[in-house]
Structure formats: C-alpha cells, structure tokens
Amino acid sequence: MLFVTSAAEQGFGETNMTDDRLSRQIGFVREIDKLKAVFRQTWLLDGSRKENDAEHSWHLATMAMLLGEHAAEPGIDVARVVRMTLVHDLVEIDAGDTFVYDEAGARDKARREQAAADRLFALLPPDQAAEMRALWEEFEARQTPEARFAAALDRLQPLLHNYYTQGAAWREHGVKLAQVLDRNRHMAEGAPRLWAFAERLIRDAVEKGYLAAE
Amino acid sequence: MLFVTSAAEQGFGETNMTDDRLSRQIGFVREIDKLKAVFRQTWLLDGSRKENDAEHSWHLATMAMLLGEHAAEPGIDVARVVRMTLVHDLVEIDAGDTFVYDEAGARDKARREQAAADRLFALLPPDQAAEMRALWEEFEARQTPEARFAAALDRLQPLLHNYYTQGAAWREHGVKLAQVLDRNRHMAEGAPRLWAFAERLIRDAVEKGYLAAE
C-alpha cells in the first residue's frame, strides 16, 4: 500500500489548524516515522532480520534507564541521556545509517548529517528545534558525561547483538578485532564497567571464532 | 538465520561474570529485544508494513518530549512520562498485542499481562524490577496526570497513523466511528487540546470516507 502523506494534499493543511504550534509539532511527529525505515547493520537477537533506527533508539533509551549506575561520573542526568538516545539518530532519516566500520561513508558523514539536522529540526517550533539540535550536538560532541555515557550505550548495544548472533554483522563485513577495539574503546570514558564487560565479550568472540583476530 | 541466544548455552553464563547485578541487567536488555517482533495493527505512515511495539514505544517517548506542554495538568514530570512510554508495552513480549477494538481479546488481557509482568521484570535486580513494575502499573491505572498524559499519547499516535493512511487499520477491521470515539475519548483527561485535535481528525476521517459513520 502507498498513501499520500502530505497534510496539504489530505486537505487538512495549516489553514484548518487553530494552532500553528501544534500543527508543526504534529508535522514533525509524522516526519520522524521515517526513522522506522532506516535499517542498520545490526541483526536482531533472534537473527530474523536487521534492526532499524527507531527500534535501536528505543533499546538505547531503555538501557539508559537501567544502566545509569554504570556511568563514569556519578549523578549524571539520566533523563537527558534518555532524551539524547531518543533523538541521536534522527538525522539518518536523510543521511542514512553509516556503518561504524565504513571508512568511505565516514568521510562525508558529518556534512550529510548537518544538512539533515538543518532540514528536520526546522519543522519544529523554533524553541523546540533549538532544544533538539542542542541534544543532538551534545551527543555528537561527546564532551559531557551524559553524552559520553549515551555514546557508550550506542556502542554496547550493537556489540551485544554481534556477540549473541555469533558475530553475524562482523562476519558479513569482514570486521577484525583491531577495528572493534579501535571503534569501541571510547566506551571506557563514558562507562568503564560496561567497557570492561564489553572487552570480555570481544575477547570471548575471538576465542569462539565469531570475530577474526586479524 | 537462527541463533542460540541463551547466555548459558553460549558459555558466557553467570559464573564468568564478576557482577551478578550487571549480568541480570544485560539479561533483561537481551530479553526485551523481543519487543521488536511484537507487531501491532497500525500501519507505518508510508503504508509499507505494520509497526512493532519497539518502534511504537520510541515514537511515544519522543512525542512525550515534544508535546508535554499539552498535558491537562501543567508541570507534570515529563521524564517519568517518557520512562512510562518506554516500558508500557513490554508485557506484550509474552501477552502479545491486543488490538484496541478487539473485545474478545480484551477479556483476558489483564490476566495475560500480569503474568507477563511477573516473569519479565523478575529478570532484573529486585530494586529495578520494582521500579519497572511500578511504572507499568502507574501507566495501566491511569490515576496520575503523567499516566493520563502517556495514555493520551498512546491513543493519539495510532490515530494519526490511521488518519494519514486513509483509515487503513480501521477499514481492515471494520471499525466504526462510535468505537473510535468510545476508545479514544479518555484522551481528554490527559491532554484536552490533543483530544480536540484528534476529534477534528476523526470527524474529517468520516467525511473523507476513511472511517465508517455506522
């Protein structure tokens, strides 16, 4: 099935709205439905298919609720971590998912994502556009304890999925131990105990043959 | 692909863990991946497929961040609303999704969901099990302003999807106007302005032929 999704074409445009602010908010709520169609390289734990960014974001937000006690700095604002995880991948609606081990894709990732942020957040009322943009930029910059913790979760979740699917995405893309250590060791800055746990998984993955040593 | 997902069978059981608390948390994080396989009756806005509970929960949590100003009571704890929306459907991992217009399914829904809550939350360390259970029970009871607002979002989101897919799920299940009004009007208690908006959508849906008047 294919549907016309533009509000204007539905004859339910801005002119029918008593509240332009609500209208913009609803427009954004509709737009971000597209995150459900941005697929990642990570396999679901049952191996049935790859996961999408909306599911991934939900998983991270719920992990943030549960794993906050493992953050590097005590007393971080877990609610802000949750908000960051909810919005951290929205720019991929336009920019697409860049696999963490894709070096070619990484080169213009920042430019593609900035353009996406410009378009997407501008759909919101200006105060909320600024708020969402700030959350996303905080996540990307990894300069606050909250952002470092959110980034650690964003590495832990696919790592768990790779380990418990016997290295499905690693094998598929020929990813090696040194790359996994290199791209994940920043977890230690946001959540040292989670990194210690992740490192054990990685070593065990090599032993079990899920991940190539070199 | 099918993978063995039990930690014990992977040879990475509790005995290898230095921290039983973290082990239980990770076990829960793995278990809730199953929410991505619980499908709802709601179509994605692009009409390509139905959505699952994990995506739906992410969408509600993000809506809670953005629409809090429309809650019936000012100054509600939006962070708790976000947490509630993240966990509100976890019991459906065991109990399955009950379509809101399914009267037969509604009869034993509470019993099935209580059993699911008993099993699922018990995977967590006891303090966190109690916290998650309390959030879920608060959502279900709809006795606090936060729960009433979360429930309003839980009705608004599928309503938007139905309207903007030209009534796809309504038509598929022969749902009528009176049922939609009956099952959604409690939105007014949690978010009166969102209900006013939703009511306009519903009336317009009847006019456009997306929803049968009787």
Side-chain angles (χ1 to χ4, degrees):
Chain A
M1 270 187 265
L2 270 177
F3 302 102
V4 174
T5 57
S6 145
E9 288 171 87
Q10 297 279 355
F12 206 86
E14 316 278 289
T15 48
N16 288 338
M17 298 284 187
T18 53
D19 187 339
D20 180 57
R21 185 169 171 87
L22 178 57
S23 164
R24 295 182 78 136
Q25 290 166 331
I26 296 290
F28 185 81
V29 165
R30 291 170 59 192
E31 179 67 19
I32 64 174
D33 197 57
K34 294 177 183 166
L35 198 65
K36 300 169 188 172
V38 180
F39 278 83
R40 302 167 49 79
Q41 292 306 323
T42 312
W43 289 86
L44 296 191
L45 289 178
D46 69 4
S48 58
R49 60 171 173 85
K50 294 188 176 175
E51 74 170 354
N52 65 58
D53 270 348
E55 299 166 320
H56 163 73
S57 301
W58 164 79
H59 215 161
L60 291 199
T62 309
M63 288 167 73
M65 276 178 67
L66 292 166
L67 302 176
E69 70 201 52
H70 304 297
E73 302 193 29
I76 61 164
D77 181 350
V78 171
R80 199 162 88 244
V81 177
V82 169
R83 291 201 302 276
M84 251 186 260
T85 58
L86 290 172
V87 306
H88 81 292
D89 272 344
L90 283 178
V91 293
E92 298 189 357
I93 286 174
D94 287 354
D97 180 59
T98 305
F99 189 44
V100 69
Y101 303 106
D102 169 10
E103 289 177 25
R107 276 193 284 274
D108 65 341
K109 180 170 179 277
R111 188 192 49 74
R112 285 182 286 121
E113 293 191 348
Q114 286 290 342
D118 289 344
R119 183 188 75 81
L120 270 169
F121 298 135
L123 298 173
L124 282 167
D127 60 316
Q128 293 191 312
E131 193 191 324
M132 299 290 271
R133 178 105 191 196
L135 275 171
W136 174 66
E137 288 182 346
E138 180 180 352
F139 175 82
E140 288 289 312
R142 245 191 267 156
Q143 295 299 309
T144 61
E146 284 81 4
R148 284 191 289 266
F149 181 61
L153 298 178
D154 192 35
R155 299 310 328 134
L156 176 62
Q157 189 259 358
L159 216 144
L160 286 174
H161 282 240
N162 268 317
Y163 179 83
Y164 289 112
T165 55
Q166 306 178 358
W170 288 329
R171 294 194 210 204
E172 191 177 1
H173 297 278
V175 173
K176 311 275 187 247
L177 171 64
Q179 290 169 281
V180 173
L181 291 172
D182 183 54
R183 299 310 306 269
N184 290 285
R185 67 162 48 96
H186 71 71
M187 278 181 65
E189 296 157 31
R193 292 176 63 204
L194 297 182
W195 171 238
F197 169 78
E199 236 188 331
R200 292 211 307 281
L201 283 190
I202 294 167
R203 301 293 173 190
D204 197 57
V206 171
E207 233 169 80
K208 291 198 163 68
Y210 304 163
L211 174 63
E214 56 189 59
Chain B
M1 269 186 264
L2 269 177
F3 302 102
V4 174
T5 57
S6 144
E9 287 170 89
Q10 296 279 353
F12 205 86
E14 317 276 290
T15 50
N16 287 339
M17 298 285 187
T18 53
D19 186 341
D20 180 56
R21 185 170 170 87
L22 177 57
S23 164
R24 296 183 76 138
Q25 291 167 332
I26 297 290
F28 185 81
V29 165
R30 291 170 58 193
E31 179 67 19
I32 64 174
D33 197 56
K34 294 177 183 165
L35 198 64
K36 300 169 188 172
V38 179
F39 279 83
R40 302 166 49 78
Q41 292 305 324
T42 313
W43 290 87
L44 296 191
L45 288 178
D46 69 4
S48 59
R49 62 170 171 85
K50 294 187 178 177
E51 75 170 350
N52 66 57
D53 270 348
E55 299 166 319
H56 162 71
S57 300
W58 165 78
H59 214 160
L60 291 200
T62 309
M63 287 166 73
M65 279 178 65
L66 292 167
L67 302 176
E69 70 199 53
H70 304 296
E73 301 193 29
I76 61 164
D77 181 351
V78 171
R80 199 162 90 248
V81 177
V82 168
R83 292 202 301 278
M84 251 186 260
T85 58
L86 290 172
V87 305
H88 81 292
D89 272 344
L90 284 178
V91 292
E92 298 189 358
I93 287 174
D94 288 353
D97 179 59
T98 306
F99 188 44
V100 70
Y101 302 107
D102 169 9
E103 289 177 24
R107 276 192 285 275
D108 67 339
K109 180 171 179 276
R111 188 190 50 72
R112 284 182 286 120
E113 294 191 348
Q114 286 290 341
D118 289 344
R119 183 188 75 80
L120 270 170
F121 298 135
L123 298 173
L124 283 167
D127 60 315
Q128 293 191 312
E131 194 191 323
M132 300 289 272
R133 177 106 193 194
L135 274 171
W136 174 66
E137 289 183 345
E138 181 181 351
F139 174 80
E140 287 289 312
R142 244 191 266 156
Q143 296 297 309
T144 62
E146 283 81 5
R148 285 191 290 265
F149 181 61
L153 298 178
D154 192 35
R155 301 309 329 134
L156 176 62
Q157 189 258 358
L159 216 143
L160 286 174
H161 282 241
N162 268 317
Y163 180 83
Y164 289 112
T165 55
Q166 307 178 357
W170 288 329
R171 293 195 212 205
E172 192 177 358
H173 297 279
V175 174
K176 313 272 187 249
L177 170 64
Q179 290 169 282
V180 173
L181 291 173
D182 183 54
R183 299 309 307 268
N184 290 287
R185 68 161 49 93
H186 71 71
M187 280 181 64
E189 295 157 32
R193 290 175 64 204
L194 296 182
W195 171 239
F197 169 77
E199 238 189 329
R200 292 210 306 280
L201 282 190
I202 294 167
R203 300 294 173 188
D204 198 56
V206 172
E207 232 170 82
K208 290 197 164 70
Y210 305 163
L211 175 62
E214 55 189 63

